[in-house]
């Protein structure tokens, strides 16, 4: 608690500084008559737990760390107030923004073009994204997440399955709940397929591999 009291004022001060300066950028674009011809994206690479689950900082798949904003202003192409209720990942941002700018980038990227979702088009979209730890391979974790459910396998501890709609604070692990076995199995299959396609070494981590194999047999 004392650590939180010391660190959070500086954290919130930086948030205010960021907000103030984004406001200055937007004000300059409006003043110069450029706001309607400019694509503006506000996002981040991670969040901060700020004391949630008794933790600070980042690096874990809890929502406070892993869920990030993706706000976009794209005049003439995205209607104001549009909300996309599908799972996206950072790797989807580049092809999405390039498509909205009508730019053919020619880059080979793993991400998906989600511009149709933002335009409000009828798009067939696989509502699932994959996350992984990067900071410490000895504390590896893999995650498959949809707009509602999150499944996590880690090299330490039991697997997690959270219903983010009913349990946004991620307090009740449903992995062993019989009523959610189908969801756990489907997300595990998708995660195993991701590991195979991307040749992700975390999929071969002994505890993760064994737990995933056991879930697929249920």
């Amino acid at each position: 608690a004392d650590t939180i009291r010391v660190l959070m004022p500086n954290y919130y001060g930086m948030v205010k500084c960021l907000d103030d300066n984004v406001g200055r950028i937007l004000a300059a674009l409006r003043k110069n008559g450029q706001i309607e011809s400019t694509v503006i994206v506000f996002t981040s690479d991670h969040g901060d737990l700020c004391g949630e689950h008794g933790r600070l900082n980042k690096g874990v798949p809890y929502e406070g760390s892993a869920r990030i904003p993706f706000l976009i202003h794209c005049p003439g192409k995205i209607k104001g107030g549009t909300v996309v209720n599908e799972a996206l990942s950072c790797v989807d941002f580049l092809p999405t923004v390039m498509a909205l700018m009508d730019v053919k980038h020619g880059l080979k990227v793993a991400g998906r073009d989600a511009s149709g979702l933002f335009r409000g088009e009828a798009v067939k979209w696989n509502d699932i994204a994959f996350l992984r730890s990067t900071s410490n391979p000895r504390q590896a974790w893999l995650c498959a997440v949809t707009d509602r459910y999150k499944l996590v396998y880690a090299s330490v501890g039991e697997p997690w399955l959270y219903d983010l709609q009913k349990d946004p604070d991620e307090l009740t692990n449903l992995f062993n709940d019989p009523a959610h076995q189908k969801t756990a199995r489907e997300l595990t299959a998708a995660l195993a397929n991701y590991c195979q396609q991307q040749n992700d070494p975390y999929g071969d981590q002994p505890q993760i591999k064994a737990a995933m194999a056991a879930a697929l047999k249920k």
Side-chain angles (χ1 to χ4, degrees):
D2 289 340
T3 301
I4 294 292
R5 292 192 188 96
V6 170
L7 294 180
M8 285 300 98
N10 288 335
Y11 180 88
Y12 290 127
M14 289 187 286
V15 170
K16 183 182 185 304
C17 179
L18 180 64
D19 187 58
D20 290 345
N21 283 287
V22 169
R24 291 188 179 99
I25 293 171
L26 296 179
L29 289 170
R30 292 190 181 97
K31 181 179 179 181
N32 295 331
Q34 297 172 305
I35 193 75
E36 293 304 313
S37 60
T38 303
V39 177
I40 302 168
V41 177
F42 183 91
T43 187
S44 178
D45 57 342
H46 61 81
D48 192 302
L49 286 165
C50 299
E52 291 181 49
H53 299 280
R55 303 180 65 112
L56 291 170
N57 215 310
K58 55 180 181 177
V60 293
Y62 284 120
E63 292 289 272
S65 170
R67 182 179 286 266
I68 59 172
F70 186 72
L71 307 177
I72 185 165
H73 165 83
C74 190
K77 294 185 178 179
I78 300 178
K79 184 179 179 180
T82 297
V83 177
V84 173
N85 290 314
E86 304 282 357
L88 279 75
S89 179
C90 292
V91 294
D92 301 321
F93 296 169
L94 185 148
T96 299
V97 173
M98 292 295 101
L100 289 169
M101 295 193 300
D102 299 317
V103 173
K104 297 187 181 298
H105 54 79
L107 300 173
K108 186 177 180 181
V109 295
R112 305 166 292 174
D113 173 10
S115 59
L117 296 177
F118 288 93
R119 295 177 196 263
E121 300 170 358
V123 177
K124 185 177 180 180
W125 185 266
N126 185 16
D127 179 31
I128 188 167
F130 303 101
L131 295 77
R132 72 193 298 277
S133 61
T134 58
S135 58
N136 187 351
R138 290 176 296 180
Q139 296 180 356
W141 55 261
L142 290 168
C143 172
V145 60
T146 69
D147 185 52
R148 178 168 181 176
Y149 291 102
K150 177 187 290 181
L151 174 71
V152 180
Y153 287 96
S155 59
V156 177
E158 297 297 317
W160 313 348
L161 176 66
Y162 291 120
D163 183 337
L164 301 176
Q165 186 179 98
K166 295 183 178 180
D167 179 28
D169 294 321
E170 300 173 284
L171 299 176
T172 304
N173 186 356
L174 301 172
F175 185 80
N176 292 315
D177 182 348
H180 291 83
Q181 288 305 296
K182 181 180 178 182
T183 298
R185 188 166 54 250
E186 289 176 349
L187 289 178
T188 299
L191 189 57
N193 184 58
Y194 154 82
C195 290
Q196 184 176 25
Q197 288 186 343
Q198 300 298 325
N199 195 28
D200 194 312
Y202 287 178
D204 291 324
Q205 198 280 338
Q207 182 162 335
I208 292 176
K209 186 175 183 178
M212 291 175 64
L216 291 173
K217 292 179 181 178
K218 289 183 179 180

